[in-house]
Amino acid sequence: MYSNMKITINGNIREFRHESMTADELVVELKLIGKRFAIERNGEIMPKSLFKQFIVNDGDHLEIVGAVGGG
Amino acid sequence: MDKDDLIIAGRPFQSRLLVGTGKYCDFKETRSAIDKSGSQIVTVAIRRTNIGQNKNEQSLIDFLPPKDFTYLPNTAGCYSADDAIRTLYLARELLDGHNLVKLEVLGDPKTLYPNVVETLKAAAVLIKDGFDVMVYTSDDPIIAKKLEDIGCCAIMPLASLIGSGMGILNPWNLEIIIDTLSVPVIVDAGVGTASDAAIAMELGCDGVLMNTAIAAARDPIMMAGAMKKAIEAGREAFLAGRMSKKLYSASPSSPLSGLIK
């Protein structure tokens, strides 16, 4: 029986119907494919090249950022 | 004029005008103004991305392809060395390893005055980790020199407060900084109109970085063109070497002989 996992993404708690998932799977869930972004997990950068291996766990804190206009 | 490139961390640029991408009414206007300015280096901010956003929502990067411009991710809004460092690690990952960055650590939300203590701390860590750091700082010549000494690739003192449009308030300090440093000195923040940019260049600055002066003009695109000309005019005047000032002694421009009697 799977329990839902809760991840804090950009300050908001999100629930997923998995116990854990790879960063690759998370990117699909969040509909981020084709966008330019970078992810930090619990204060550490998650390199794009390792998305297939990186496991996101219940309770993780993620920051997902992009480039916006600024001076 | 041939071959008067601005060299930053070994990268040559033909334009000495660096521009921000904030405060425009839409991305189309951002792009038009930047094209008109002739700028090759554009600053961007790093912010939380919208999750589950509309698939067709436009992004800045669609309008300013990183292959056509040199991105300068900044740390605007950071008030500690740690926040600035985290932001630039994210920026490097976001921009596929791009390591040329603008470091700014602010000290006060009202004045946005730089916190030079935290700035020095962050710069040291980032440089050790392989970043080419262009650094926003106060117009304090001693701090500017320290930032150069620890390895910053460009020193960017303010002309006046960010977004104030007050122009160059202390040309004397800027001159000391320009005279003392070997790396490029780029005035960052406070320019209000074209003459401010020209004065910065006439003082011998290597470039000027601005955002609000263009974006908040009534016609940003026309102002972008004015800034391009001001930067070029100021640079040429600096290279040409201005005449010396003569207090209390006029010198006629026309011959004294051959006057009709």
Side-chain angles (χ1 to χ4, degrees), chain B residues 34-248:
Chain B
I34 290 169
D35 282 345
K36 191 82 177 175
S37 76
S39 297
Q40 296 166 291
I41 302 177
V42 297
T43 63
V44 295
I46 305 300
R47 290 291 180 270
R48 284 173 166 175
T49 194
N50 290 324
I51 305 298
Q53 64 196 0
N54 155 14
K55 226 181 163 29
N56 300 319
E57 191 178 341
Q58 292 173 320
S59 81
L60 178 71
I61 284 183
D62 298 334
F63 284 78
L64 297 170
K67 66 177 171 49
D68 298 336
F69 296 92
T70 297
Y71 268 50
L72 195 60
N74 72 22
T75 59
C78 291
Y79 285 84
S80 70
D82 285 348
D83 282 349
I85 293 163
R86 266 179 82 192
T87 300
L88 291 178
Y89 282 147
L90 279 163
R92 184 165 65 179
E93 173 63 19
L94 179 73
L95 298 170
D96 304 322
H98 174 77
N99 70 340
L100 183 68
V101 297
K102 171 180 163 179
L103 171 66
E104 68 176 85
V105 186
L106 303 175
D108 168 49
K110 186 171 160 63
T111 60
L112 301 178
Y113 207 78
N115 179 334
V116 294
V117 177
E118 290 294 302
T119 302
L120 275 160
K121 258 196 256 174
V125 172
L126 291 164
I127 290 160
K128 193 157 170 255
D129 205 24
F131 284 90
D132 289 331
V133 177
M134 301 174 68
V135 63
Y136 172 64
T137 185
S138 66
D139 59 7
D140 178 333
I142 305 302
I143 295 293
K145 182 74 178 107
K146 275 207 186 307
L147 287 164
E148 177 184 73
D149 289 345
I150 66 170
C152 291
C153 66
I155 308 300
M156 307 203 290
L158 49 74
S160 46
L161 301 181
I162 293 172
S164 71
M166 291 287 287
I168 296 167
L169 300 184
N170 195 337
W172 315 108
N173 271 27
L174 287 180
E175 281 197 324
I176 298 171
I177 293 172
I178 292 161
D179 282 351
T180 317
L181 269 51
S182 331
V183 297
V185 175
I186 294 170
V187 157
D188 179 5
V191 163
T193 188
S195 53
D196 297 334
I199 290 168
M201 296 308 292
E202 287 172 13
L203 287 171
C205 286
D206 297 280
V208 178
L209 198 169
M210 64 179 77
N211 191 153
T212 314
I214 297 175
R218 192 181 63 232
D219 183 337
I221 295 159
M222 188 182 282
M223 186 59 90
M227 291 301 185
K228 177 178 197 280
K229 292 172 196 154
I231 294 287
E232 289 169 359
R235 178 66 182 172
E236 286 185 29
F238 170 72
L239 293 175
R242 62 153 297 150
M243 62 167 283
S244 56
K245 288 180 182 173
K246 300 186 188 82
L247 279 180
Y248 311 119

Side-chain angles (χ1 to χ4, degrees), chain A residues 8-34:
Chain A
T8 305
I9 302 176
N10 291 349
N12 297 311
I13 295 171
R14 295 276 300 251
E15 276 193 55
F16 296 90
R17 292 181 165 282
H18 306 269
E19 275 193 324
S20 69
M21 57 180 151
T22 64
D24 244 5
E25 289 165 338
L26 177 76
V27 166
V28 173
E29 289 267 359
L30 297 177
K31 301 185 174 64
L32 286 171
I33 288 177

